[in-house]
């Protein structure tokens, strides 16, 4: 069992839909990251959170420390949002990231 | 382009051969990480450096794997006597120790080096 669980594993939606991807983790963390990976491999950091909520354009990330849960939302989704979205955490005292398995998002026109 | 570059981007090698990957992090970043990713999985931690010191190594990093960061700038990851199970993408990332947690995106990834062992 992965220490960082994401759901759903795959998500297909129509352009314009509101998207939610969830991430749960098992023990205390110092930071949680949402990452985007396009075909070909490159990973881009979208957000790093330790509490609350962050917004960047159409992307919103929230975290509930007590419930050990985070969500990534995409408003007004677009085909260019199609990618794998990965949740990763820094456990307390650790520098390395522990990754979820990723959520493959496909937005159809 | 995140500023972290990896070379080569793709490598096909025969089983038993040695391969070396290079990572050039963002120049002022003192932390450098290596991860491995197989198809359909999230990346897994291999090792990390702070400046030239290798501070942590995963159990995944068998004796056939060695990583160096001799001058605290670029890093190399060498795999000796490659096996088919080594086929994966090897990702490098860098960050700056002391960057404010709340400042946002503080870790930067390279495009990865794909290894295929045949």
């Amino acid at each position: 069992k992965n220490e960082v669980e994401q759901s759903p594993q795959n998500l297909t939606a129509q352009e314009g839909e509101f998207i939610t991807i969830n991430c749960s983790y098992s023990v205390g963390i110092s930071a949680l990251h949402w990452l985007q990976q396009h075909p070909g491999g490159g990973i881009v950091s979208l957000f790093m959170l330790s509490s609350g909520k962050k917004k960047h354009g159409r992307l919103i990330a929230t975290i509930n420390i007590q419930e050990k849960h985070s969500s990534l939302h995409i408003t007004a989704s677009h085909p260019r949002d199609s990618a794998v979205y990965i949740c990763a955490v820094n456990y307390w005292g650790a520098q390395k990231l522990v990754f979820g398995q990723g959520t493959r998002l496909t937005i159809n026109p | 382009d995140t500023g972290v570059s990896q070379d080569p981007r793709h490598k096909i090698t025969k089983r038993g051969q040695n391969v070396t990957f290079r990572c050039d992090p963002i120049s002022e970043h003192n932390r450098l990480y290596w991860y491995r990713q197989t198809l359909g999985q999230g990346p897994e931690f291999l090792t990390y450096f702070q400046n030239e010191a290798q501070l942590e190594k995963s159990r995944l990093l068998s004796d056939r794997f060695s990583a160096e960061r001799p001058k605290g700038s670029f890093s190399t990851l060498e795999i000796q006597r490659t096996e088919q199970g080594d086929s994966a993408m090897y990702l490098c990332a860098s960050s700056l120790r002391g960057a404010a947690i709340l400042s946002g995106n503080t870790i930067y990834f390279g495009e990865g080096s794909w290894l295929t062992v045949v």
Side-chain angles (χ1 to χ4, degrees):
Chain A
K1 182 172 165 34
N2 198 6
E3 299 172 45
V4 180
E5 293 281 339
Q6 286 187 237
S7 63
Q9 288 190 334
N10 293 283
L11 178 57
T12 300
Q14 291 299 121
E15 184 173 356
E17 286 189 37
F18 181 82
I19 302 299
T20 296
I21 300 171
N22 296 301
C23 175
S24 298
Y25 51 91
S26 54
V27 296
I29 63 170
S30 58
L32 182 143
H33 303 251
W34 281 104
L35 309 163
Q36 181 190 58
Q37 186 171 33
H38 280 283
I43 292 179
V44 175
S45 176
L46 299 174
F47 296 104
M48 184 169 72
L49 297 161
S50 56
S51 65
K53 176 179 174 177
K54 286 190 176 180
K55 184 175 188 294
H56 186 259
R58 296 180 295 106
L59 302 179
I60 303 166
T62 64
I63 188 168
N64 184 318
I65 296 295
Q66 287 73 30
E67 294 186 3
K68 297 185 176 58
H69 180 270
S70 175
S71 294
L72 176 69
H73 305 285
I74 305 175
T75 61
S77 59
H78 190 277
R80 65 175 175 268
D81 296 327
S82 298
V84 175
Y85 292 84
I86 304 174
C87 171
V89 302
N90 290 107
Y91 289 118
W92 279 111
Q95 294 305 319
K96 67 185 182 187
L97 288 174
V98 178
F99 292 80
Q101 290 188 311
T103 294
R104 182 173 298 277
L105 175 66
T106 304
I107 304 296
N108 293 319
Chain B
D1 182 7
T2 63
V4 179
S5 61
Q6 292 189 242
D7 183 71
R9 292 292 319 281
H10 301 273
K11 178 74 176 177
I12 300 173
T13 191
K14 291 184 178 178
R15 190 174 52 188
Q17 298 293 305
N18 299 344
V19 296
T20 299
F21 299 112
R22 176 179 169 125
C23 172
D24 287 88
I26 293 172
S27 59
E28 63 268 26
H29 283 186
N30 48 17
R31 285 185 171 156
L32 185 147
Y33 309 80
W34 284 100
Y35 293 90
R36 181 171 70 185
Q37 185 177 25
T38 53
L39 281 175
Q41 302 295 316
E44 296 174 293
F45 171 76
L46 292 178
T47 189
Y48 106 91
F49 293 84
Q50 183 161 300
N51 300 312
E52 65 275 11
Q54 188 174 19
L55 296 187
E56 188 174 352
K57 291 170 59 173
S58 164
R59 285 170 293 178
L60 292 175
L61 216 64
S62 75
D63 291 345
R64 297 185 297 104
F65 288 71
S66 62
E68 294 183 342
R69 194 182 183 198
K71 298 181 180 179
S73 56
F74 74 91
S75 175
T76 58
L77 176 69
E78 182 183 17
I79 309 173
Q80 296 182 327
R81 305 182 303 282
T82 51
E83 302 173 356
Q84 287 188 319
D86 298 331
S87 296
M89 181 170 67
Y90 292 84
L91 277 163
C92 176
S94 71
S95 67
L96 180 62
R97 180 174 184 260
I101 288 287
L102 297 179
S103 68
N105 310 328
T106 61
I107 187 162
Y108 298 84
F109 288 84
E111 294 288 315
S113 292
W114 288 95
L115 173 65
T116 302
V117 181
V118 296

